Amino acid sequence: MANTAHLVRRQSSQNLNPQRSLDRLEMKELRGRLVVENGNSNLSHNYGATNVAFDDTSPNTKTGKVGGGSKLGSGEGKQVFRPEGGEEERESWDSKLTFLLATIGYAVGLGNVWRFPYLAQKNGGGAFLIPYFVMLAIEGIPIFYLELAIGQRLRKGAIGVWNQVSPYLGGIGISSAVVSFNVALYYNTIIAWCLFYFVQSFQSELPWASCPNRYHANGSYTVEPECVTSTPTQYFWYRTTLMVSEDINSPEAFNWKIALALVVAWVLVYMCMIKGIASSGKVVYVTATFPYIVLIIFFFRGVTLKGMSDGLRHLFTPKWWTLTDPVVWLEAGTQIFFSLGLAFGGLIAFSSYNPVNNNCYRDAIMVSLTNCFTSMFAGIVVFSVIGFKATMIYERCLEERNSILASLAFNPLELASLPPEGTIINVGTNGTQVMPPIPECDLEKELDNSASGTGLAFIIFTEAINQFPGAQFWSILFFLMLFTLGIDSQFGTLEGVVTSIVDMKLFPNLRKEILTGVLCLVCCTISMAFAHGAGNYVFILFDNFSGNFPLLIIAFFECVGVSYVYGLKRFADDIELMTGRRPGLYWLICWKYLSPLAMLSILVASFVEIIMDGSGYPAWVSSKGITERHEWPLWALILIAFLILISVLWIPVVGICRAFGILIIEDNDKAWFPSEDLREFHGIVPHQVTTAEKTLFCIREDGTEGLCCPTGDVDEDDT
């Protein structure tokens, strides 16, 4: 009966207020009978508005009966929100813990482990934490909070949410979905690489521990020259794993090993997402917690290693002069933005499955801080291991240098007085002896020799693991951790795409599991572009351009859409109805001024940096055993422009088409939002506009705003 009444109400026009009142009275009477007959009010066992697993913690909560329906959970005296008009028919999380783990798993990804430590030691050590937390406060948490709140309020995916904010802004959601699709293509390549290294770790000797041999026709063999000029870890990464070509224009052989790993990776992603949040919600109990277990294990291993203190000192010693460098602030803002997974649409999709009275403010603070402290903890783990590796190399260098000097009868402590290289130092019966090259041993230089991204994970860290007793065990743990870090971020990225397609009813007769399978199949097919000799260069192109610029533009328009179109007062009213608390002035200032300004600043600075320094990619030179910077060819520049434009052009195109009466997005279903029930539940009284709100945001006494175009009435009940 409840579901029937709810469906009738949703399908009715908004001017049928008398019918709504009758529906409400019928539901009230029916609920009263059920409470009397059953002796309790626990009418549902699903996580949602009626589940006691989600307890309201508002300071305005009142015990007893609200709106004719008992709000008390069974036997515990805790208040549970139960709307009088029934609940919407939408998927919901099994529990609050499932949602938090899924969101943390989505936000905490590979960048926390392999990018933050590198940026910290590169940009001032401990001093980098100042711009890092400043950017977290003015752009990271505010936009994270905004996306959770707008998704929970409008209860749709990114496309549906922004189309409902304003039909002219529906392109924001399409842009988010396109970016998520593009990022998912190359992100799963990292997961495939991790799977390949994970499988290789089960060998009796790690294949990157030493150089392989090259066998000749006469049965003799020599050590692989390319490996000798580089290192075993570099050789295994570039030659064995990537089968890398000399540049992006020379794909050479198809890499069947990585192609197979990609197929396995996409099958695993599909199996975890086959039932939507019902299946991925179960998986995150493993994928979100396992990386922390491994990081803790590596932490206790790392702090016992020789050289650990040198690594941590190198990471956290503040270089205060770097705070005057604008590039440091740019990289701090960029790292915060991308490590939280903002503007992809995944956060909006996840929060749309939450109960309507969920405390999204508390969730935003908790997940954001968890993400940042995970980055710092990962930095400690990574640099304790890098300190060990640098110390081992430094001590071997000292041994080699001292051995050479001892053979020449020089005192190792008197390096300043040594003759230059090539100087004749002895003339005897055995011939002339010249001064050989003396190795330069510098611990700080070795500590600086770190990297970010794949270089840290597959070269630097694997080289350190080689030095561990039981290296196979540590390698298995490390790459399994990277796999779990990557795959739950992949869930959130793809969920943003799937939820948007489902909510838009683009394929109304296609079950969600089939739609997800088709999407994974399409992505798997396209991702074969990364499985050849030039695949790593194509990966770098996607990594640098498919997400960075479009996401900054999308986030900017999200702030504009909420602050200047939806309306700050209206948005604050919605959050107060959902959580029982009104967002403070600080959040309103961030949404309207600081966060958009931060997005624009990062975007402009990034363009200026590319114009000044150019853009290229590191190409592997096998004869030298190093990478050299190459400029992008013309076709790659065209692909870069295409990736950026195909993502962001939807924003103006949808708005222009709407102005001319052309509908690209047809979604007229209003969001279910029991505002009157929530107002009564939280005991909320109408908000009086304050002087500060009038001055800062141009909010008038009647609730209208300057530079603002509200698209509907916030006080509609059950819209």
Side-chain angles (χ1 to χ4, degrees), residues 289-481:
T289 57
F290 183 76
Y292 287 98
I293 296 172
V294 176
L295 279 176
I296 291 171
I297 294 173
F298 267 99
F299 170 77
F300 285 108
R301 182 69 183 98
V303 296
T304 63
L305 294 172
K306 185 177 183 180
M308 172 273 299
S309 58
D310 292 317
L312 297 186
R313 173 185 51 79
H314 186 74
L315 173 62
F316 287 117
T317 299
K319 305 177 183 67
W320 300 111
W321 64 88
T322 59
L323 295 180
T324 60
D325 186 354
V327 174
V328 173
W329 293 82
L330 169 65
E331 294 199 336
T334 305
Q335 173 64 14
I336 282 290
F337 184 84
F338 296 113
S339 70
L340 287 173
L342 304 175
F344 281 98
L347 292 174
I348 293 176
F350 278 177
S351 63
S352 71
Y353 301 124
N354 267 332
V356 74
N357 64 322
N358 175 45
N359 193 332
C360 53
Y361 168 73
R362 182 179 56 196
D363 295 343
I365 298 294
M366 182 186 305
V367 176
S368 298
L369 292 181
T370 299
N371 177 78
C372 293
F373 286 114
T374 300
S375 295
M376 294 169 59
F377 183 60
I380 293 172
V381 171
V382 168
F383 267 85
S384 65
V385 175
I386 287 179
F388 164 72
K389 179 187 80 73
T391 301
M392 293 296 101
I393 295 175
Y394 176 68
E395 290 184 347
R396 284 200 299 268
C397 178
L398 288 179
E399 289 178 5
E400 181 183 354
R401 187 183 70 185
N402 293 341
S403 175
I404 294 174
L405 294 177
S407 67
L408 299 174
F410 285 105
N411 186 350
L413 300 179
E414 298 178 355
L415 296 179
S417 61
L418 292 177
E421 179 184 338
T423 303
I424 297 176
I425 58 176
N426 187 21
V427 178
T429 56
N430 294 328
T432 302
Q433 187 177 16
V434 298
M435 188 68 182
I438 304 299
E440 293 184 10
C441 304
D442 188 344
L443 180 59
E444 290 300 316
K445 184 179 179 180
E446 292 298 334
L447 289 169
D448 281 331
N449 187 26
S450 62
S452 66
T454 55
L456 175 64
F458 299 107
I459 298 176
I460 303 295
F461 215 85
T462 50
E463 188 174 339
I465 288 176
N466 286 340
Q467 314 298 323
F468 289 3
Q472 291 85 351
F473 168 76
W474 297 104
S475 180
I476 290 169
L477 272 186
F478 178 67
F479 289 108
L480 192 56
M481 177 190 72

Side-chain angles (χ1 to χ4, degrees), residues 30-217:
L30 177 59
R31 183 178 294 147
R33 287 186 203 157
L34 290 172
V35 170
V36 171
E37 291 173 5
N38 298 332
N40 65 69
S41 60
N42 189 16
L43 304 179
S44 172
H45 297 285
N46 294 323
Y47 172 69
T50 60
N51 193 315
V52 296
F54 187 90
D55 300 327
D56 180 79
T57 56
S58 167
N60 299 323
T61 53
K62 299 177 286 187
T63 56
K65 297 177 183 288
V66 180
S70 172
K71 304 292 182 183
L72 296 180
S74 55
E76 295 185 3
K78 294 181 180 179
Q79 191 174 19
V80 178
F81 174 69
R82 182 174 297 113
E84 293 180 356
E87 301 171 29
E88 64 173 346
E89 294 184 348
R90 184 174 181 82
E91 280 187 286
S92 61
W93 296 101
D94 291 338
S95 67
K96 180 62 175 287
L97 179 61
T98 305
F99 164 72
L100 286 177
L101 288 177
T103 310
I104 290 172
Y106 167 70
V108 176
L110 294 166
N112 298 77
V113 173
W114 70 21
R115 182 157 176 79
F116 172 82
Y118 168 76
L119 289 178
Q121 67 91 22
K122 172 191 171 188
N123 292 304
F128 180 73
L129 296 179
I130 294 177
Y132 183 76
F133 279 104
V134 168
M135 300 307 287
L136 173 69
I138 67 174
E139 66 160 4
I141 299 178
I143 299 179
F144 199 94
Y145 184 13
L146 181 150
E147 292 197 356
L148 288 184
I150 200 73
Q152 182 174 312
R153 165 61 178 91
L154 298 179
R155 318 202 64 71
K156 295 175 183 288
I159 295 177
V161 159
W162 297 112
N163 184 65
Q164 188 150 339
V165 167
S166 171
Y168 295 92
L169 295 179
I172 297 176
I174 299 179
S175 293
S176 290
V178 172
V179 171
S180 295
F181 179 83
N182 290 339
V183 170
L185 287 176
Y186 80 84
Y187 201 82
N188 225 33
T189 306
I190 305 174
I191 297 175
W193 292 337
C194 293
L195 286 174
F196 179 73
Y197 267 73
F198 173 73
V199 172
Q200 296 295 319
S201 300
F202 286 91
Q203 297 186 32
S204 57
E205 181 185 3
L206 292 178
W208 53 83
S210 59
C211 288
N213 296 322
R214 174 181 288 185
Y215 292 90
H216 304 287

